[in-house]
């Protein structure tokens, strides 16, 4: 079973994350930040990774700790659920359109964390979330999942679509990269023999 459960508690956030890589995209999000829940819903729905995420964060300050720490815990869960990486496709990318917005996500489930993030929001906030937090989320996620992740937006028609296209593109690429390749189901996808 490629599943994982992570519980993480600090003075700033208390988080529980349960995932199933071989799910159907069933999800339950409760972070207290509406737009962030909407983005996490997309991440689950389009990756087909079941996700149950609860975070009680210090939202009286702002959403920073909540967003970053959910990224950490979700990344840890992904890393744990992948295990020895046997059989995964490893590389995937997706060019994701939403009306007048186009965003690419390309990733390598390499065990080598890296983030390239090219997107320039034109608003400071969407709903109650600061747009600068999306980079924080993907940085925390990539580092803790052990994924090389490139996200690039080419153009956008509004900030909601820009953020949502990132999560959908990453979701779709994650689905492809983490799926078991029947042609090499018992092998680690590396000439090194390990990842
Ligand atoms: Mn939306």
């Amino acid at each position: 079973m490629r599943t994982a459960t992570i519980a993480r508690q600090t003075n700033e956030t208390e988080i529980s994350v349960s995932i199933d890589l071989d799910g159907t995209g069933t999800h339950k999000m409760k972070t207290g930040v509406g737009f962030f829940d909407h983005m996490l819903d997309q991440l689950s729905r389009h990756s087909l990774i079941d996700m149950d995420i609860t975070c009680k964060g210090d939202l009286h300050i702002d959403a920073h700790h909540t967003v970053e720490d959910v990224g950490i815990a979700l990344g840890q869960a992904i890393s744990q659920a992948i295990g020895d990486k046997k059989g995964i496709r490893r590389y995937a990318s997706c060019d994701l359109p939403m009306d007048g917005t186009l965003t690419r996500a390309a990733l390598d489930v390499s065990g080598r964390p890296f983030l390239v993030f090219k997107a320039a929001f034109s608003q400071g906030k969407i709903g109650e979330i600061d747009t600068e937090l999306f980079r924080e989320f993907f940085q925390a996620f990539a580092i803790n999942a052990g994924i090389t992740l490139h996200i690039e937006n080419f153009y956008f028609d509004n900030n909601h679509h820009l953020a949502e296209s990132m999560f959908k593109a990453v979701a779709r690429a994650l689905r492809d990269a983490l799926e078991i390749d029947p042609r090499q189901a018992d092998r680690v996808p590396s000439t090194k023999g390990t990842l």
Side-chain angles (χ1 to χ4, degrees):
M1 290 283 280
R2 298 197 303 163
T3 62
T5 297
I6 299 287
R8 186 179 189 278
Q9 185 167 2
T10 70
N11 291 333
E12 296 168 344
T13 59
E14 184 182 343
I15 297 176
S16 69
V17 172
S18 290
I19 64 165
D20 181 350
L21 296 186
D22 302 299
T24 56
T26 305
H27 51 268
K28 204 165 68 194
M29 307 300 176
K30 244 174 88 180
T31 67
V33 184
F35 189 80
F36 188 40
D37 284 352
H38 181 43
M39 294 301 100
L40 294 171
D41 288 345
Q42 307 304 328
L43 195 58
S44 170
R45 178 64 186 86
H46 295 285
S47 64
L48 302 184
I49 299 171
D50 291 346
M51 295 182 188
D52 191 336
I53 300 177
T54 304
C55 176
K56 284 179 216 144
D58 51 2
L59 294 176
H60 60 285
I61 298 174
D62 65 9
H64 192 111
H65 303 138
T66 293
V67 171
E68 183 175 22
D69 292 0
V70 167
I72 291 170
L74 184 59
Q76 289 173 344
I78 294 277
S79 171
Q80 192 175 308
I82 298 169
D84 61 9
K85 304 188 181 71
K86 261 194 191 125
I88 65 170
R89 294 184 192 276
R90 180 178 169 182
Y91 299 101
S93 67
C94 175
D95 285 350
L96 196 294
M98 284 186 75
D99 296 346
T101 298
L102 185 64
T103 300
R104 172 177 296 158
L107 56 88
D108 175 11
V109 184
S110 57
R112 292 193 305 277
F114 202 95
L115 177 71
V116 173
F117 186 91
K118 294 187 175 179
F121 288 92
S122 63
Q123 281 173 208
K125 273 183 179 290
I126 305 172
E128 63 223 292
I129 193 169
D130 294 319
T131 50
E132 67 183 15
L133 295 183
F134 297 116
R135 190 185 193 288
E136 297 301 313
F137 173 81
F138 286 115
Q139 173 84 14
F141 175 77
I143 284 175
N144 287 277
I147 288 176
T148 295
L149 174 61
H150 293 238
I151 297 172
E152 181 170 14
N153 171 256
F154 300 107
Y155 38 81
F156 65 103
D157 50 3
N158 62 69
N159 287 266
H160 187 121
H161 281 165
L162 172 47
E164 189 164 342
S165 65
M166 287 179 189
F167 282 83
K168 285 178 166 172
V170 169
R172 186 64 212 206
L174 270 180
R175 173 185 169 180
D176 293 344
L178 296 182
E179 266 178 355
I180 299 298
D181 180 349
R183 294 179 65 192
Q184 56 169 1
D186 295 322
R187 291 192 297 167
V188 173
S190 167
T191 54
K192 289 197 287 280
T194 181
L195 279 172

